[in-house]
Amino acid sequence: MEWRRLLADTLRILAVAAAYYATGRIGLQLRVVVGGAEVTPLWAPTGIAVAALLWWGLRVWPGITLGAYLSIEHISTFQPADLGLLVGNTLAPVCAYLMLRRVGFRPEMDRLRDGLALVFLGGLLPMLISATVGAATLEATGDLPPDQFWSVWAAWWTGDAMGVLLVTPVLLVLPRLRRPEDPLRVAEAAALFAGCAAVTVLAARSSLSLLFLVFPMLIWVAVRFQHSMGAPCALLVSVLAIWAAIDQAGPFAGHTLFDVMVNLQGLNGSAALTVLLLSALVTEQNNIRLKIEQLCEELAEVVDRLAPGRPEERREGRGRSERGG
């Protein structure tokens, strides 16, 4: 049995490394170039790393390191100084996992505290590690001018954080995703997904400031379908907005890198927070309502057992009383 467990862990490690490397290649295609500077607003491999740790535990951390190594090797020849990048990219999701486990995070994200934990303990706080270590490594090797440290640090941090806030929820939802039995629910979900895409393209490509139009759609999705549709729609909105920023279209045209990143990450972060927290809140309230209904049914059964006579006798007695009256 031990060799089977070792084989399973090895396959999981290789799967994590392959997914990290593949999404890293895609993430590099979604980099924003403004004035010669390149940044990645959404680094999906970090979200994959956190989800893999939540699924399989710390045993798969070598897959994160291997995937990071392959991503670096794809960009340029790996140098000994790049070990700092491997340490930062591995340590950040591992710390996220440890903090989430410490506070009792549930992958179902069916409580408001789970949504808050993923935002702060899974995304914003631990990704400071990868951003700080990565930017410091680049500056120490001379690949990053000192005057650009904070701009690269901020882009690194927000990119990794958005990977957790937007990609991890989608992956955590996938194993529990079920097709609704009601055809009307299926049609509503499809219409909302298409509506989110259409509204985002319109808002991100228009010269007017219309990015706020995506939030009514995201709120509707989160209230009606919670994480099962809210997480994919938030990721869709982010990808379409990044695509517009790459083309420097609509509200992203004619601005500096700082302005583009502020607008883009403001949208991405707000979309992720709206869907995560609202979906968790609605799910928690629905679960509370179901528990109350279950308790009421159990209480009714207890009352029936404690009342004198059997339920059939009481019903017959009420029937005779009504006829006699």
Side-chain angles (χ1 to χ4, degrees):
M1 297 299 293
E2 189 66 26
W3 68 269
R4 291 184 178 179
R5 179 178 178 181
L6 180 61
L7 177 61
D9 289 342
T10 302
L11 292 177
R12 288 169 179 170
I13 289 171
L14 294 177
V16 172
Y20 194 107
Y21 174 67
T23 53
R25 293 284 300 271
I26 297 173
L28 293 175
Q29 300 300 318
L30 294 177
R31 61 185 181 273
V32 177
V33 182
V34 181
E38 299 182 0
V39 294
T40 305
L42 176 62
W43 188 242
T46 305
I48 291 176
V50 173
L53 290 169
L54 290 172
W55 282 336
W56 299 315
L58 287 175
R59 294 190 299 272
V60 299
W61 73 263
I64 302 172
T65 305
L66 178 59
Y69 167 79
L70 294 175
S71 299
I72 296 173
E73 183 68 22
H74 171 71
I75 298 173
S76 62
T77 303
F78 188 85
Q79 302 293 332
D82 293 333
L83 288 173
L85 301 179
L86 295 183
V87 171
N89 288 342
T90 304
L91 191 59
V94 167
C95 288
Y97 164 73
L98 293 176
M99 287 192 290
L100 289 174
R101 191 180 66 171
R102 178 70 177 176
V103 299
F105 174 81
R106 295 204 298 235
E108 295 82 6
M109 297 179 292
D110 54 357
R111 303 170 299 176
L112 180 59
R113 60 179 291 184
D114 295 322
L116 292 171
L118 187 62
V119 170
F120 292 100
L121 301 183
L124 298 181
L125 289 179
M127 297 309 129
L128 294 172
I129 299 174
S130 57
T132 303
V133 174
T137 300
L138 293 179
E139 183 180 8
T141 57
D143 295 328
L144 177 66
D147 59 335
Q148 295 185 14
F149 176 87
W150 289 112
S151 60
V152 171
W153 178 91
W156 199 312
W157 174 57
T158 54
D160 282 356
M162 290 305 108
V164 176
L165 299 186
L166 291 167
V167 177
T168 300
V170 175
L171 297 176
L172 294 180
V173 163
L174 285 179
R176 300 184 304 276
L177 197 60
R178 300 291 183 272
R179 180 179 178 180
E181 297 180 358
D182 187 356
L184 293 179
R185 291 273 291 176
V186 176
E188 182 183 4
L192 286 174
F193 191 81
C196 282
V199 170
T200 304
V201 171
L202 172 65
R205 299 282 172 173
S206 173
S207 58
L208 303 175
S209 299
L210 300 177
L211 292 177
F212 62 90
L213 291 178
V214 303
F215 292 101
M217 298 294 298
L218 292 176
I219 291 172
W220 187 356
V221 171
V223 171
R224 291 289 291 155
F225 295 94
Q226 291 80 63
H227 295 292
S228 61
M229 279 294 296
C233 284
L235 180 60
L236 174 67
V237 167
S238 175
V239 171
L240 293 176
I242 293 173
W243 183 20
I246 292 173
D247 295 340
Q248 299 186 33
F252 306 106
H255 293 289
T256 64
L257 176 61
F258 177 79
D259 295 334
V260 170
M261 290 300 296
V262 167
N263 289 331
L264 182 60
Q265 299 298 47
L267 174 65
N268 292 343
S270 299
L273 288 174
T274 298
V275 169
L276 267 176
L277 300 185
L278 186 56
S279 296
L281 181 61
V282 172
T283 302
E284 185 176 33
Q285 294 301 317
N286 289 340
N287 290 339
I288 292 174
R289 176 176 55 81
L290 292 175
K291 289 180 181 178
I292 292 175
E293 292 176 355
Q294 183 180 2
L295 289 174
C296 289
E297 293 176 358
E298 294 176 355
L299 181 60
E301 293 177 0
V302 171
V303 171
D304 284 339
R305 295 194 191 98
L306 295 179
R310 293 181 300 176
E312 294 80 3
E313 295 175 352
R314 291 199 300 273
R315 285 196 294 270
E316 293 175 0
R318 287 195 296 270
R320 288 194 297 270
S321 300
E322 292 173 357
R323 289 194 296 272

